[in-house]
Amino acid sequence: QVQLRESGPGLVQPSQTLSLTCAVSGGSVRSENYYWSWIRQPAGKGLEWIGRIYTSGSTDYNPSLKGRGSISVDTSKNHFSLRLSSVTAADTAVYYCARGVMVRGLMRLGWFDPWGQGTLVSVSS
Amino acid sequence: QSVLTQPPSASGTPGQRVTISCSGSSSNIGSNTVNWYQQLPGTAPKLLIYSNNQRPSGVPDRFSGSKSGTSASLAISGLQSEDEADYYCAAWDASVGWVFGGGTKVTVL
């Protein structure tokens, strides 16, 4: 079955750019009816959707990021990546990647399954 | 503050029925399906209920979901100790994208 695994630096300095990669195994990032998302969770808090990318390269982001997020996909490596610029302490969280399932071609009728194990990113000098 | 509203906690003794509510609006729950995720301590969220009331393969039938108007609920019947976890509802919002509830911590007494 499809498995996802996040990787990247665990510590990022304030004002720098956070970069994470999600490796997909057991399936292809080019699969139809799926898209690829990033979701984060600050310690002791709830989940926040960051954004998504479809195999075509089209993207959507949570407006709360105010344009700081960028998601890309590398079909040759079967992985997708997140870049979050100008980070502050408020961006400290566990970052999860997840596969989004579409129903009848619509994200809004779908769900996230599976999720990666998550990776903790701390923003600190 | 989360777009979807859940009670922060719920509890019950083994064998009891516990219900968790999730309240939204016409731009999210009112016009889209609801999913529920279970997050066991120290682990990633896992899909528990999708499309309002569907269980993925492997999820026990003591978990059930329902939706009415702009609210949804998750019920756990026959509560077991291994059900101690955080539970999150989620739906697509026309303005924001995917939104989640703040999470409900279920404690088995």
Side-chain angles (χ1 to χ4, degrees):
Chain A
Q1 74 276 19
V2 173
Q3 292 185 316
L4 309 178
R5 180 176 289 271
E6 307 87 348
S7 62
L11 181 64
V12 181
Q13 294 202 336
S15 80
Q16 298 302 300
T17 297
L18 176 160
S19 295
L20 296 174
T21 294
C22 180
V24 179
S25 59
S28 173
V29 294
R30 289 178 289 186
S31 298
E32 290 188 9
N33 297 317
Y34 298 116
Y35 61 95
W36 309 93
S37 264
W38 289 94
I39 297 160
R40 67 182 180 179
Q41 184 175 34
K45 296 188 178 181
L47 301 164
E48 180 183 35
W49 178 72
I50 295 171
R52 68 93 183 174
I53 188 165
Y54 186 56
T55 185
S56 65
S58 65
T59 54
D60 287 303
Y61 301 98
N62 191 320
S64 69
L65 296 179
K66 295 182 171 60
R68 296 189 299 125
S70 175
I71 299 175
S72 59
V73 64
D74 187 330
T75 56
S76 67
K77 295 182 179 178
N78 211 37
H79 74 208
F80 62 104
S81 301
L82 169 70
R83 288 173 59 86
L84 186 64
S85 62
S86 306
V87 296
T88 69
D91 295 308
T92 294
V94 174
Y95 285 74
Y96 296 101
C97 57
R99 184 182 69 174
V101 177
M102 294 191 287
V103 175
R104 298 194 292 275
L106 298 173
M107 281 194 296
R108 63 183 182 87
L109 299 181
W111 53 88
F112 293 114
D113 184 53
W115 297 55
Q117 62 184 20
T119 188
L120 175 62
V121 179
S122 298
V123 178
S124 175
S125 55
Chain B
Q1 191 161 354
S2 301
V3 174
L4 305 181
T5 301
Q6 296 180 235
S9 64
S11 63
T13 57
Q16 275 191 328
R17 176 183 172 92
V18 170
T19 301
I20 300 168
S21 61
C22 176
S23 178
S25 69
S26 58
S27 66
N28 41 66
I29 294 178
S31 50
N32 298 300
T33 54
V34 176
N35 308 310
W36 291 89
Y37 299 92
Q38 178 193 56
Q39 186 174 33
L40 296 169
T43 70
K46 183 190 87 167
L47 180 66
L48 188 68
I49 297 286
Y50 66 95
S51 297
N52 302 329
N53 55 18
Q54 302 299 301
R55 283 187 310 276
S57 173
V59 172
D61 61 6
R62 65 177 182 275
F63 292 96
S64 62
S66 64
K67 175 191 142 178
S68 178
T70 58
S71 294
S73 63
L74 173 71
I76 311 173
S77 57
L79 190 66
Q80 299 187 8
S81 58
E82 58 260 39
D83 299 333
E84 270 207 352
D86 293 325
Y87 294 84
Y88 294 90
C89 59
W92 177 264
D93 184 278
S95 301
V96 176
W98 283 105
V99 292
F100 294 87
T104 298
K105 183 177 183 62
V106 169
T107 302
V108 182
L109 301 171

